[in-house]
Amino acid sequence: MATKLVTIAFDVMGSDHGPAEVVRGAAQLSLESPHIHTLLVGDRAVIDNALAETKHNGERISVQHASEQISMDEKPGEALARKPDASVSVAARLVAEGEADALVSAGNTGACVLSCARHFQLLPGVRRAALASVYPTRARRGDKDDPFSLILDVGATVEATADDLVTFAVMGAAYARIISRNENPKVALLSNGTEPNKGPRQVVEAHARLAGLPGLQFIGNVEGVDIPKGTADVVVTDGFVGNVCLKMLEGVHETVVELAQYAYKESLRWRAGLAMLSGGIQRIKDVTDWEQYGGAPVLGFDRIFIKAHGRSKSRAIANAGKVAAKAVSHELGKAIQEGLAR
């Protein structure tokens, strides 16, 4: 049976590396994935110039002009009100109207989420959307031998109720099953102790409800130390705590890299040791390369949105498009609704 064509709308103007990098990612996708059509949204002249310099399949790419863009340092609400023709807003509207099946953006996160909230509908049973993120762990999981776990929320819902946490757990498990091909992901609440009564009231209440939820492998509470170990495949928390955890993980990674660079410069013995370990270090970099995932999903809406990292290069942009297409093809929204119905 032929694979259904999926159209992905790309917010071309939202990226630290500029529109050309997003166009290169979409161009790469047009050459690699015959079942994906890319709709590039942004300044048509800029997009056309970038396409002229990039190998691509013109039959799998179309362009929608948007005359405005939102920068990373702008306040989302004010910027969207001031710029009705902003590329991210136009792209979200096109997805909502059925001109595309999913949205990918590497732009201002707040503006992206707000655009989705204004143009998309929340799924039945979902009170607040959640921004999820993948992070590397010691443990592997699923058919893909995946070294990444999922944590949500990491910033969309700062104050989450017990209802929200239960919903996040169901949505995160559905995403892990589809994207990581992990049929029975281990789901946990992030708390300050593994006992069921540890944590704030909403965490304790969510624990009691998740423990009796059918179709979900809930393993209880995990602590911060369990995050990098990969004790759980899906870690559930509110957006405030999740964002702090995510930034800490990014900071630890950057610090380790800087320490290695310092040691390499300062000591001949360290240089020799690092040279001997270079093959293993490269292997670690390969298996924990976040660019293979491309981006993080915003879960809870009736349309798919993948938020790519602002520093994404063309490979990450292309992979974000593939993840979005996979979520559409496997009906992620339907899987979430079925989980909530249980």
Side-chain angles (χ1 to χ4, degrees):
M1 185 172 64
T3 304
K4 179 184 176 183
L5 183 68
V6 177
T7 299
I8 309 298
F10 287 86
D11 168 23
V12 173
M13 311 308 290
S15 169
D16 289 346
H17 295 294
E21 198 66 40
V22 179
V23 172
R24 281 192 285 269
Q28 179 181 332
L29 197 61
S30 75
L31 298 172
E32 297 176 348
S33 304
H35 65 289
I36 298 176
H37 183 86
T38 61
L39 174 57
L40 303 178
V41 183
D43 188 309
R44 183 181 293 275
V46 171
I47 294 172
D48 288 344
N49 288 338
L51 284 173
E53 299 175 355
T54 308
K55 184 179 179 181
H56 65 281
N57 185 333
E59 294 181 354
R60 298 177 189 155
I61 294 180
S62 56
V63 178
Q64 172 65 52
H65 180 67
S67 61
E68 298 171 307
Q69 66 184 83
I70 295 176
S71 62
M72 295 292 191
D73 59 352
E74 290 187 86
K75 294 182 178 180
E78 295 177 5
L80 287 171
R82 193 171 64 254
K83 301 176 178 180
D85 202 42
S87 56
V88 65
S89 184
V90 173
R93 175 174 54 79
L94 291 170
V95 173
E97 294 174 350
E99 296 297 320
D101 300 296
L103 168 64
V104 171
S105 177
N108 182 309
T109 301
C112 290
V113 174
L114 190 54
S115 292
C116 290
R118 291 180 175 180
H119 292 286
F120 302 167
Q121 300 294 318
L122 289 170
L123 292 169
V126 177
R127 191 183 75 90
R128 301 291 297 272
L131 176 61
S133 182
V134 294
Y135 62 92
T137 67
R138 186 174 67 192
R140 304 293 190 87
R141 56 195 52 82
D143 292 344
K144 294 170 59 180
D145 202 23
D146 197 341
F148 289 89
S149 282
L150 187 77
I151 183 170
L152 72 166
D153 178 42
V154 294
T157 302
V158 175
E159 295 183 2
T161 65
D163 282 344
D164 295 329
L165 294 174
V166 172
T167 301
F168 295 170
V170 172
M171 295 194 299
Y175 187 83
R177 278 192 289 269
I178 289 172
I179 302 302
S180 297
R181 297 207 299 268
N182 185 353
E183 284 301 317
N184 195 23
K186 293 180 290 185
V187 181
L189 287 165
L190 183 61
S191 190
N192 62 332
T194 58
E195 300 87 348
N197 62 343
K198 282 293 184 74
R201 176 184 51 78
Q202 65 270 24
V203 172
V204 174
E205 183 181 339
H207 187 290
R209 292 170 58 184
L210 287 169
L213 197 65
L216 191 76
Q217 186 183 184
F218 178 61
I219 63 171
N221 291 347
V222 293
E223 299 176 282
V225 68
D226 295 302
I227 294 176
K229 290 180 180 179
T231 303
D233 304 320
V234 178
V235 176
V236 178
T237 185
D238 63 58
F240 178 80
V241 174
N243 191 265
V244 170
C245 289
L246 188 63
K247 296 294 175 61
M248 182 201 68
L249 291 169
E250 292 177 352
V252 168
H253 173 266
E254 292 173 1
T255 301
V256 169
V257 171
E258 290 171 0
L259 287 173
Q261 291 172 342
Y262 173 79
Y264 186 85
K265 293 177 181 178
E266 293 297 316
S267 168
L268 178 61
R269 183 180 299 175
W270 271 98
R271 283 199 293 275
L274 288 170
M276 292 174 65
L277 292 170
S278 60
I281 292 172
Q282 185 59 50
R283 173 62 179 156
I284 292 172
K285 289 176 65 178
D286 290 343
V287 300
T288 60
D289 180 14
W290 60 269
E291 289 202 344
Q292 66 180 287
Y293 267 81
V298 173
L299 301 173
F301 290 117
D302 63 346
R303 299 288 189 271
I304 302 298
F305 169 50
I306 301 296
K307 174 63 180 70
H309 200 291
R311 298 195 302 268
S312 294
K313 303 300 282 289
S314 59
R315 175 170 169 263
I317 294 294
N319 285 335
K322 292 176 182 178
V323 169
K326 189 173 183 179
V328 171
S329 299
H330 288 78
E331 298 182 301
L332 175 61
K334 181 180 179 181
I336 291 173
Q337 288 188 64
E338 290 174 350
L340 291 174
R342 288 195 295 268

